[in-house]
Amino acid sequence: MSRNVELFARANRSIPGGVNSPVRAFRSVGGTPRFVARAQGPYFWDAEDKRYIDYIGSWGPAILGHAHPEVVRAVQDAAVHGLSYGAPTEAEIEIAEMLIERMPSIEQIRLVSSGTEATMTAIRLARGATGRNKIIKFEGCYHGHADSLLVKAGSGLLTFGNPTSAGVPPEFVAHTIVLDYNDIEGVKAAFATHGKEIACVIVEPIAGNMNLIKPITGFLETLRSECTAHGALLIFDEVMTGFRVGPQGVQGLTGITPDITTLAKVIGGGMPIGAFGGRKDIMQNIAPLGGVYQAGTLSGNPVAVAAGITTLRLLSQPGFYEDLAVRTRKLADGLVAMARAHNIPFSADSVGGMFGVYFSNSVPTTLAEVSASNIDMFKTFFHAMLDEGVYFAPSAYEAGFVSSTHDDNVIQATVDAADRVFAKLAKG
Ligand SMILES: *Cc1c(COP(=O)(O)O)cnc(C)c1O
């Protein structure tokens, strides 16, 4: 029996499903998860010492590649001075100032320990600041696993959502309106009906949790103008896109300014961290200044903050994002060229260091279009690439991530592997 199979069987005895986060279990592609033994740069090695080119990068954080020596040194240096204090540190001010300087919409910011905590608190803050209860989210956008956000559209237009998780009482999502991503008319209709009751709209301004889906022209603009017109707050969930699509997130790319922004993933450089920030007058509603409560024993953890500061500093090198975007685009274009050569219905897209691959003839703009792609062919592709030593996200509903260590040789090796895999797929 292989070592991965052995470990998975053992993991299943002590951990539900054998994993600590569901997508790691390979349920949507089948087969045995690879247990990671170590990682360096663009690669990780599994329990059988097989090497993979890694295109998930911890689902986004590993933008500098795994175990970047300067980030590792910052973590080691911080750790020897103690792992957590429960009292403020100068480093927390430093990272707050760095994030404020970089993100156009953020005047004040608070650190938490995960993206889920950031979005959960951002919603509470929006409700507290506006004195309203209803929120709008979009189907296919993931904002962490807080109760009121685990919801899908109900039947019929403008109905309130149904929980997507057992254990969430329908009452807990009764205030959540679920709309389709990129549905401009749906947004206008929801505001026309419920405008005075809507506290906020939360959106992935470029979606990465239903594969990569970009906003169509006018979508984010409409969110901004409807929120402003009706006194609702606009929350950009940039947990994935922040410092991933460019140096200032989607708000920097589009010039559209949200009221509140949530961050995590890249800003911790691989350590657990999250943050929410925005206009000062809104942020002043948070305890101890205002009535919206939020706290965290490990918030602003000194080791995580050290990793974050060093990561942000390295990302500020001139040309970093230009190089990353070129590399990522080269991967997407290379995969498309190989698929075309073998007559496989396939498309790919990218923005900054983030990409999507779709077994459909054109790049989708909705969740329904992702669902209509050839998911069975994706599964076959995923496993064949895994055999070739290339690790893509184990689901057709996830984006992929490229790091600054994925150099031309690594990208070319991936495209060459895809050539062999597409040839096999073409034979059926
Ligand atoms: C990953 C993610 C989250 C949740 O972050 P965690 O750190 O996993 O809790 C929230 N929103 C978006 C857009 C994400 O990609």
Side-chain angles (χ1 to χ4, degrees), residues 189-320:
F191 271 100
T193 313
H194 298 290
K196 287 196 180 68
E197 306 152 90
I198 294 169
C200 65
V201 174
I202 185 166
V203 66
E204 287 183 71
I206 291 174
N209 285 288
M210 47 176 160
N211 210 320
L212 171 65
I213 302 281
K214 289 178 178 169
I216 59 170
T217 306
F219 179 60
L220 297 176
E221 291 81 355
T222 301
L223 298 185
R224 181 64 278 174
S225 60
E226 291 291 319
C227 282
T228 303
H230 293 89
L233 301 180
L234 179 59
I235 304 175
F236 273 8
D237 180 357
E238 298 228 43
V239 165
M240 184 182 282
T241 55
F243 303 100
R244 166 57 64 182
V245 300
Q248 301 180 307
V250 181
Q251 50 201 274
L253 294 183
T254 60
I256 296 169
T257 307
D259 301 296
I260 302 173
T261 300
T262 54
L263 296 166
K265 297 199 168 106
V266 169
I267 66 162
M271 295 293 288
I273 210 167
F276 61 98
R279 283 207 330 260
K280 186 174 170 186
D281 64 296
I282 298 170
M283 294 301 289
Q284 303 269 312
N285 289 287
I286 288 284
L289 297 179
V292 178
Y293 192 70
Q294 179 273 328
T297 300
L298 294 178
S299 292
N301 176 268
V303 183
V305 165
I309 288 173
T310 305
T311 298
L312 291 171
R313 211 172 268 150
L314 290 164
L315 296 179
S316 300
Q317 298 164 97
F320 181 90

Side-chain angles (χ1 to χ4, degrees), residues 139-151:
E139 189 139 30
C141 285
Y142 176 69
H143 304 292
H145 59 88
D147 282 340
S148 67
L149 295 168
L150 290 179
V151 51

